[in-house]
Amino acid sequence: MPSWAKSRGDMLRRRTPLGLSTRRRARAGGPRAQGRQAASWHEWAAIREQVLARAGWRCQACSVRRRLDVHRVVKRSQGGSDFDLDRLVALCRWCHEQTDAPYERGRLVVTALGAGQYRFDIVKLAARKSAGPG
């Protein structure tokens, strides 16, 4: 279950309710967030379809054909955009989760090369050793 959801029988609901202005924007089909370039729900559906079709409906890291997501190589909070197709990559759910994995376990790092091409690296750092007595 997602961290934002609470179970209420067979229905999920947000733990924190959306603000009034966010609800109004979402109902009107506008952007979900203000202050950064975000696609509306309808625009995102079209962008997602375009990115997945460009990838041949396969994960671009491992070639799996199921449970596909679109990953932003540069997060919107760090200056990325929903509309920059060269920085959107199709990943399966497992690979997408690895992009936020701890470095001790091994994190999938995606680098955009341009023209729909990407480089995938697994970055694994050794766990820090605590200084023991002695």
Side-chain angles (χ1 to χ4, degrees), residues 1-7 11-15 93 97:
M1 178 180 324
S3 61
W4 54 263
K6 279 187 177 178
S7 179
M11 188 173 83
L12 294 177
R13 66 183 177 86
R14 291 185 68 87
R15 219 175 263 191
R93 188 71 44 91
E97 289 174 2

Side-chain angles (χ1 to χ4, degrees), residues 21-22 25-26 29-34 36-41 43:
S21 59
T22 303
R25 275 195 309 274
R32 297 176 298 223
Q34 242 180 351
R36 56 188 169 197
Q37 197 173 11
S40 68
W41 293 106
E43 289 170 329

Side-chain angles (χ1 to χ4, degrees), residues 5 15 25 27-28 35 43 50 56-57 72 80-82 84-85 87-88 91 97 115 122 129 132:
R15 219 175 263 191
R25 275 195 309 274
R27 277 194 216 122
E43 289 170 329
Q50 209 173 358
W57 297 93
R72 292 173 191 85
S81 168
D82 288 347
D84 187 359
L85 297 180
R87 294 192 180 189
L88 296 174
L91 296 176
E97 289 174 2
I122 302 289
K129 294 181 181 178

Side-chain angles (χ1 to χ4, degrees), residues 42-98:
H42 299 291
E43 289 170 329
W44 181 250
I47 290 168
R48 182 180 186 279
E49 183 88 15
Q50 209 173 358
V51 171
L52 294 177
R54 177 186 69 194
W57 297 93
R58 291 181 178 274
C59 173
Q60 291 182 267
C62 69
S63 299
V64 168
R65 288 183 148 256
R66 57 190 138 92
R67 297 184 74 188
L68 296 174
D69 292 333
V70 173
H71 172 69
R72 292 173 191 85
V73 176
V74 179
K75 296 178 182 181
R76 277 199 321 252
S77 63
Q78 296 172 347
S81 168
D82 288 347
F83 301 100
D84 187 359
L85 297 180
D86 286 337
R87 294 192 180 189
L88 296 174
V89 59
L91 296 176
C92 67
R93 188 71 44 91
W94 190 84
C95 288
H96 198 189
E97 289 174 2
Q98 297 311 306

Side-chain angles (χ1 to χ4, degrees), residues 120-133:
F120 302 96
D121 299 306
I122 302 289
V123 177
K124 190 169 187 176
L125 301 176
R128 294 183 188 190
K129 294 181 181 178
S130 60

